[in-house]
Amino acid sequence: MGFVGILVMGFLCLCSLVHGYGGRWINDAHATFYGGPDASGTLGGACGYGNVYSADYGIKTTALSPALFDNGLSCGACFEVRCVNNQKCLPASVVVTATNFCPPGGWCAPSLHHFDLSQPAFQTIAQPIAGVVPVAYRRVKCARKGGIKFRIEGNPNFNLVLISNVGGAGDVHAVYIKGGRNGWKAMVRNWGQNWQSNDNLVGQSLSFKVITGDGHSLVSYNVAPSGWSFGQTFVGRQFP
């Protein structure tokens, strides 16, 4: 392997350590819960997924403190969380998806690593009466059913695409869009996992390139046919 190849491999390894999954357990964190026994109070949120049930994230979700939320770039990431060193702990771990932001203050102070879990997720690892427990956590691969979802909103001169149900690393860090008569153009993250394009692409089939936080990329060609309409959701390929 040449020098350039070694540099590339080193960069990919660094990306995996910083943004990827399958890493070591980190112990300096705590967890609380919100949203009620059926997690209905977790719908909506700072990632923009809206109904997390229809977004295929289910009831095992979490809001993240600022240190973990990374200004929204962690939306869609999956974490395995387990309760530690507390009499109210249960002998189990839970895998949750980041779908919301825990505003700064209290346990979600900017410097703290904190998970505000859905109640069903919290009850998997600890007795609810505990209220708050110390936890260990690690990034894990997101296992998703079906393909990546692209929901298109906006108007002819403003396309806002919500990207959800992303497997692999789960967190989307870059998106490119291509109309049937155009080349690839970078989209800009508007908020959460809503990505925008200001090109008029009405009447063109749409392709998307999604790049996750670990540097892996996936292209879904012609995922939306030329007759697509605003308000529709289309399903593309999925990360292995």
Side-chain angles (χ1 to χ4, degrees), residues 55-235:
D56 291 331
Y57 293 137
I59 60 175
K60 301 290 180 69
T61 61
T62 187
L64 299 177
S65 62
L68 294 172
F69 191 67
D70 196 14
N71 293 316
L73 283 176
S74 293
C75 288
C78 295
F79 298 85
E80 185 177 6
V81 182
R82 65 187 184 194
C83 180
V84 295
N85 303 323
N86 190 284
Q87 293 181 345
K88 300 298 191 297
C89 290
L90 298 176
S93 64
V94 64
V95 175
V96 292
T97 302
T99 60
N100 205 353
F101 177 59
C102 187
W107 287 107
C108 286
S111 62
L112 299 180
H113 287 194
H114 188 79
F115 295 84
D116 197 12
L117 301 169
S118 66
Q119 186 170 337
F122 188 92
Q123 291 178 165
T124 303
I125 64 170
Q127 300 173 34
I129 194 173
V132 57
V133 292
V135 297
Y137 73 93
R138 63 180 178 179
R139 281 286 301 272
V140 295
K141 181 177 180 179
C142 296
R144 303 295 180 209
K145 295 181 179 179
I148 297 174
K149 292 185 176 181
F150 303 88
R151 181 170 180 81
I152 307 173
E153 302 285 359
N155 59 60
N157 296 307
F158 176 74
N159 308 292
L160 191 65
V161 181
L162 171 63
I163 300 177
S164 62
N165 197 46
V166 181
D171 54 342
V172 178
H173 281 214
V175 180
Y176 292 82
I177 190 171
K178 181 183 181 302
R181 300 189 297 272
N182 301 88
W184 289 103
K185 290 190 176 182
M187 302 187 77
V188 176
R189 193 168 65 92
N190 188 293
W191 67 283
Q193 285 298 351
N194 286 281
W195 296 77
Q196 76 177 65
S197 165
N198 295 326
D199 295 313
N200 190 332
L201 299 173
V202 173
Q204 301 183 51
S205 60
L206 301 180
S207 301
F208 294 95
K209 181 179 182 179
V210 174
I211 302 175
T212 47
D214 60 358
H216 292 167
S217 64
L218 184 69
V219 178
S220 295
Y221 289 104
N222 302 317
V223 64
S226 59
W228 64 268
S229 299
F230 293 104
Q232 289 184 302
T233 299
F234 301 94
V235 180

Side-chain angles (χ1 to χ4, degrees), residues 12-74:
L12 290 176
C13 290
L14 179 61
C15 284
S16 177
L17 288 172
V18 175
H19 298 295
Y21 43 83
R24 63 182 177 85
W25 286 94
I26 299 172
N27 292 298
D28 60 341
H30 288 79
T32 50
F33 65 90
Y34 78 114
D38 62 353
S40 59
T42 65
L43 304 186
C47 291
Y49 297 128
N51 187 329
V52 292
Y53 303 160
S54 60
D56 291 331
Y57 293 137
I59 60 175
K60 301 290 180 69
T61 61
T62 187
L64 299 177
S65 62
L68 294 172
F69 191 67
D70 196 14
N71 293 316
L73 283 176
S74 293

